[in-house]
Amino acid sequence: MKIIHVADLHLDSKMESNLPIEKARERREELLETYERMVEYADANRVRVILIAGDFFDKKHNRKSVRKRVLEQVRRHPGIDFLYLRGNHDDSDFLIDEKPSNIPSNLKSFREDEWVSYDYGDVVITGREISCDNARLLANNLVLDQARCNIVTLHGQEMESDGPDRAEIINRSEFRGKNIDYLALGHVHSYKEGRLDDRGVWAYSGCLEGRGFDECGKKGFVLLDVTDGQITSEFIPFARRTLHEVNVDLNEEMSMPDVIEAVNENLRSIPSDDLVKIVLNGKIHMDLDLDLGRIRRTFLDRFYYVKVKDKTSVKIDYESYREDRSLKGEFVRLLEGEDLPEEERALIIETGMRAIMGEDIEE
């Protein structure tokens, strides 16, 4: 029996925090298309269950067209059960406007007030939605048959002990010895796995598509294969596009052509369909006009989206400016005489130099 463990799809997310409006709309559509591609993959690979471990949608109100397309995929694949556990972003039931007769029988859900189990022969899939009311007794009320292959699903942050907000914490220690073979988690947006106890493992599938540069790297789902009561798992990268944060180290000897070449070297292996955030680090010469716009324009047509972040600092050569009669020289001499910590003086000089050169200062 094959099962897809997926979570944090965040369908209908606006995607506007990092992207211009048109690309945000395009990426919003791509999130939905990746969900549809995943269902087609499940059908082609004879997957019996798609287990959605929370945050199927991004917010309370979702477009009717999106809800319709989600349900179309469920209806078109009656041989696949869609088990949907609501997460912290799933503030309302996306089926609330649907007549009960319109809800496909292969779309099944979990509850907050009790554990719900679905039986597939040797495999039992059990889940419960976490809330403030049930969080402290959640594990106490979980009873599983040790003779079965038990998959349990929850949505929250796994920890070895309780955290400040108990409602979003999954205390791993409380689920040890509960006859769990695979604990399918949602909430963390990167694939992550570990041992739960001598019998079972826990895993986050991560999100299906990265939406911002805090979600870099490969994204996808986990494919489980249960044979004779034994589970094997494989992470399947599946995102339409990958986000990359690329750190480029600069030094005081570099000119702008040198900087562009250094950036180019660091970008060689990245596919053109992807999104790139270039982060410039290191100490640069005071006279280097670090033109972020030029860097971005150089690589803009090479990738789907490019962002440039300047984290460099200026290496101050006081000697070279002591006799300089320019505005820069006067400014450096003025700051050199001030009783300031070196880091603070360097930051003031850097900011001042950029203002003198008429450069926009990026936050």
Side-chain angles (χ1 to χ4, degrees), residues 12-245:
D12 218 21
S13 177
K14 287 191 173 180
M15 308 287 285
E16 292 176 357
S17 20
N18 281 287
L19 299 172
I21 291 175
E22 284 306 312
K23 285 199 179 293
R25 286 175 183 164
E26 190 171 51
R27 286 294 289 148
R28 193 180 188 185
E29 178 69 12
E30 286 179 353
L31 290 185
L32 187 55
E33 290 172 354
T34 300
Y35 155 75
E36 292 171 334
R37 284 193 299 113
M38 180 192 69
V39 177
E40 294 301 327
Y41 173 97
D43 183 63
N45 288 274
R46 299 183 179 180
V47 169
R48 179 67 182 86
V49 173
I50 294 178
L51 175 59
I52 303 163
D55 288 355
F56 199 3
F57 293 90
D58 189 58
K59 56 191 182 300
K60 185 173 183 177
H61 300 293
N62 303 285
R63 289 174 296 164
K64 185 176 181 179
S65 60
V66 173
R67 299 197 305 270
K68 181 180 178 181
R69 283 174 65 175
V70 166
L71 288 176
E72 281 174 352
Q73 288 298 313
V74 179
R75 291 191 184 99
R76 288 185 62 241
H77 298 88
I80 300 173
D81 279 358
F82 292 71
L83 306 188
Y84 167 41
L85 177 90
R86 287 191 300 172
N88 57 298
H89 276 259
D90 298 309
D91 288 337
S92 65
D93 188 345
F94 80 100
L95 300 170
I96 197 165
D97 295 328
E98 295 288 334
K99 296 178 180 178
S101 58
N102 288 340
I103 299 174
S105 60
N106 59 323
L107 176 57
K108 307 173 188 298
S109 61
F110 298 92
R111 299 166 59 104
E112 179 185 309
D113 58 350
E114 64 179 351
W115 289 97
V116 175
S117 295
Y118 295 99
D119 197 312
Y120 297 92
D122 291 340
V123 179
V124 179
I125 301 176
T126 302
R128 191 169 178 182
E129 295 168 359
I130 301 177
S131 69
C132 293
D133 294 332
N134 68 23
R136 293 203 174 275
L137 298 176
L138 198 65
N140 294 350
N141 297 326
L142 176 62
V143 179
L144 302 172
D145 184 347
Q146 70 176 38
R148 311 289 289 282
C149 180
N150 294 304
I151 296 173
V152 173
T153 185
L154 294 166
H155 186 92
Q157 176 64 59
E158 61 82 23
M159 289 186 178
E160 189 57 29
S161 58
D162 286 350
D165 184 355
R166 188 60 168 86
E168 289 195 6
I169 298 302
I170 297 168
N171 186 339
R172 290 200 318 266
S173 63
E174 294 179 356
F175 288 90
R176 293 195 180 110
K178 289 287 185 178
N179 300 313
I180 298 172
D181 293 283
Y182 184 89
L183 181 57
L185 301 174
H187 189 59
V188 172
H189 289 191
S190 294
Y191 172 64
K192 186 180 178 183
E193 64 172 349
R195 289 227 59 93
L196 179 64
D197 54 24
D198 290 341
R199 172 167 174 160
V201 298
W202 57 268
Y204 286 100
S205 64
C207 53
L208 196 56
E209 285 270 358
R211 294 175 299 148
F213 288 105
D214 56 341
E215 297 176 356
C216 292
K218 293 180 178 179
K219 305 299 175 186
F221 55 81
V222 179
L223 180 63
L224 305 177
D225 194 336
V226 186
T227 304
D228 297 328
Q230 298 297 312
I231 299 178
T232 58
S233 66
E234 179 186 3
F235 175 71
I236 307 294
F238 205 72
R240 171 70 177 84
R241 305 181 193 278
T242 300
L243 289 94
H244 307 261
E245 181 172 309

